[in-house]
Amino acid sequence: MKATGTARHRPRAWAALLLSALGFAVAACGGAPDAGRRSPQARLDLTYAMRTYYLPRPDGEHRPSPYEITLKAPEKPGGGAGPAVRGVKVTLDLSAFAGRAKIGRVNKGYGCARSGDEVVCALDDIKSGEGAIFTPFEPEVLRDAPQGPAGRMKMTVTSANATTLHHTTEVVVGAPRLTARQEKPVTGVAPGGEMRLTPAFGNQGDTSTGDGTVVTLTTEQATLRPRYRNCRYDKPVRPTRAECAFPGELRPGTAYETDAPLLAVADESAQRGRFDYAVYRAHERSDAQYGPLLGPSSPRGTGPALGLRPVDGRGEEFTADSNDADGMAFSGREFTTDRVDDVRAVPFPIKGAAGETVMADVPFAKDFAGKEVRVTLPEGLSTASVDPAGYPSELTFCRTTGRRTAVCPFTSYGTVLPVRIDERVDGARGEVHAPSDPATDPWRKNNTAPVTVVYTG
């Protein structure tokens, strides 16, 4: 059981990483059931796996991105639990790596073992409504590996009571390295005032992206103007998300910026907010495993198409995402208005039964420019330690400062606090506190919010 919360910048809460079924359907990953077979008792979806796996040439700095696999056993149509998928096994043919990379660590935590050119992961049963995301192996690229296409890595997912799934990934030695121009914060924005952002991105790698580029935009405490016809928006009026498509491959050493600005309007009540964008290879949307994409039915802008113009992308302001440089780059602009600050801590529950160790998502405080909040756990709970290797690498963990206290920093992917429920203490309450400067925040009582416990057994 997990407490829920929010993450700043990109909403990639850890529970969604483990359980999300939103994004690619099985057919998009090459896992459509064989025609003519009887419907299985259980259903298993391969909701995400890479279509192209790039192996950057070793230079002491850049390493291959994690090859992540996301499996999900969906609930019944209309809701309700179905049968668990039993005896799930993932088999990977790694013969394409021969002469190009050796297989280093395999993920024993997910039952993965290597034999020759094959890695087999024997997973636990997957309950209906649950799933697993894991990296089965880590390759180490050989220094003399020839650059270019290496072959195909074939995946087969079998189980005792669900349809067999198949997926193929193209393996390439060399990699694009997507970058985005980092934006400076803007201050003194009038509530309801307009802001402009000109996204810029490039490729500092040694390999072309091979196809088009997608730029996604999100806002916090602001809305977008739905202006361009090659951009889709989440709603026709006051959208907060957009996706703009640009055809053509992004070649090594090239960089572009949009030939017109994207426009956002600060909310009338905003004190601070963000205007962010991310750049993806069009055929490899790694964000598909974290939330719904804007589909063909999403409204388009009614104005002219947004184009690109070349720029010099060699400057220090063009940086790459350290976790997934061949697949995405991220940038954004923080803005503040001339309203008085009012930092507000966000309450959150911790759910579980006595004797359990649970992972609580710690939500980010509202209108908070600081980096850390302080948490005091309710009576009957204590801070716990876990092995981070068993969780997605993007997660940030709180830092324990005492038996019932912790300090929680925030990153783009979310922050979690491991908690041990030692005993049931009805009515116990803790607190989360977001510090602020009294000179700029005259209302400081709401800097502290309650932390409660919901007992499940």
Side-chain angles (χ1 to χ4, degrees):
M1 302 295 293
K2 309 170 183 69
T4 60
T6 58
R8 187 165 67 166
H9 307 341
R10 281 173 285 178
R12 298 186 176 184
W14 77 280
L17 288 176
L18 293 173
L19 303 178
S20 175
L22 300 173
F24 291 147
V26 177
C29 287
D34 296 338
R37 290 189 177 180
R38 295 179 60 188
S39 298
Q41 290 183 339
R43 176 180 163 188
L44 183 65
D45 290 347
L46 176 61
T47 60
Y48 181 78
M50 292 181 181
R51 293 175 57 186
T52 304
Y53 190 36
Y54 291 104
L55 303 176
R57 298 174 66 83
D59 58 5
E61 178 182 359
H62 304 141
R63 294 181 57 82
S65 297
Y67 184 82
E68 290 185 339
I69 300 171
T70 305
L71 296 168
K72 168 72 186 237
E75 294 182 343
K76 292 180 179 180
V85 184
R86 303 191 307 274
V88 179
K89 183 170 70 173
V90 178
T91 302
L92 294 147
D93 176 6
L94 305 183
S95 57
F97 290 79
R100 294 171 172 85
K102 63 180 181 179
I103 305 303
R105 186 184 73 89
V106 296
N107 194 342
K108 295 181 180 179
Y110 278 83
C112 300
R114 177 190 172 194
S115 176
D117 289 333
E118 192 173 77
V119 167
V120 178
C121 300
L123 281 66
D124 294 333
D125 296 350
I126 299 179
K127 296 179 181 179
S128 177
E130 298 185 2
I133 178 171
F134 67 103
T135 301
F137 64 93
E138 293 180 1
E140 298 176 6
V141 186
L142 302 178
R143 290 197 171 275
D144 58 352
Q147 186 170 340
R152 295 181 174 184
M153 175 172 56
K154 296 182 179 180
M155 180 197 309
T156 304
V157 183
T158 59
S159 63
N161 60 334
T163 299
T164 297
L165 308 176
H166 300 279
H167 179 76
T168 299
T169 298
E170 300 291 336
V171 179
V172 177
V173 176
R177 185 167 176 78
L178 299 183
T179 61
R181 183 170 61 196
Q182 301 305 298
E183 307 292 338
K184 295 180 180 180
V186 176
T187 60
V189 176
E194 187 175 83
M195 298 170 289
R196 297 183 169 217
L197 179 67
T198 302
F201 55 89
N203 180 1
Q204 294 180 359
D206 59 11
T207 302
S208 170
T209 59
D211 65 351
T213 304
V214 173
V215 175
T216 65
L217 298 111
T218 58
T219 60
E220 295 180 12
Q221 299 295 307
T223 56
L224 297 167
R225 293 198 185 277
R227 187 170 185 176
Y228 302 106
R229 68 169 180 262
N230 58 330
C231 299
R232 298 185 185 277
Y233 300 85
D234 61 340
K235 48 192 171 184
V237 179
R238 296 177 60 83
T240 58
R241 294 175 54 212
E243 297 178 0
C244 304
F246 302 97
E249 62 183 352
L250 188 60
R251 298 181 180 276
T254 61
Y256 299 88
E257 68 177 7
T258 58
D259 61 5
L262 281 300
L263 304 178
V265 178
D267 293 348
E268 291 288 347
S269 60
Q271 295 173 333
R272 57 175 49 87
R274 294 194 60 86
F275 188 3
D276 295 331
Y277 69 91
V279 182
Y280 298 94
R281 304 195 313 269
H283 83 288
E284 194 77 82
R285 293 285 299 278
S286 59
D287 58 335
Q289 60 182 315
Y290 306 120
L293 305 180
L294 298 182
S297 62
S298 300
R300 291 182 177 271
T302 57
L306 184 64
L308 298 174
R309 57 191 174 209
V311 294
D312 185 353
R314 294 172 296 179
E316 293 182 356
E317 69 272 22
F318 279 80
T319 62
D321 186 285
S322 60
N323 294 318
D324 188 16
D326 61 52
M328 68 89 62
F330 175 77
S331 183
R333 170 170 289 160
E334 185 173 354
F335 69 88
T336 56
T337 70
D338 52 15
R339 290 177 58 90
V340 175
D341 288 342
D342 182 18
V343 173
R344 288 156 287 164
V346 178
F348 65 94
I350 298 173
K351 299 180 181 180
E356 286 186 337
T357 295
V358 298
M359 305 292 288
D361 285 322
V362 180
F364 195 72
K366 294 181 179 179
D367 295 321
F368 183 45
K371 297 181 179 180
E372 297 178 333
V373 297
R374 300 191 294 268
V375 176
T376 300
L377 293 173
E379 185 180 352
L381 276 62
S382 59
T383 55
S385 60
V386 297
D387 183 1
Y391 296 87
S393 60
E394 294 88 351
L395 286 182
T396 296
F397 287 83
C398 296
R399 185 174 70 256
T400 297
T401 57
R403 181 176 174 276
R404 289 174 48 206
T405 59
V407 174
C408 299
F410 287 89
T411 63
S412 304
Y413 298 91
T415 302
V416 294
L417 173 60
V419 175
R420 167 76 178 178
I421 303 178
D422 299 313
E423 60 178 330
R424 179 166 185 153
V425 180
D426 292 326
R429 290 163 70 93
E431 65 178 34
V432 55
H433 178 76
S436 65
D437 185 350
T440 57
D441 183 2
W443 305 290
R444 303 182 70 219
K445 289 184 178 180
N446 56 4
N447 286 35
T448 301
V451 176
T452 56
V453 188
V454 177
Y455 296 104
T456 59

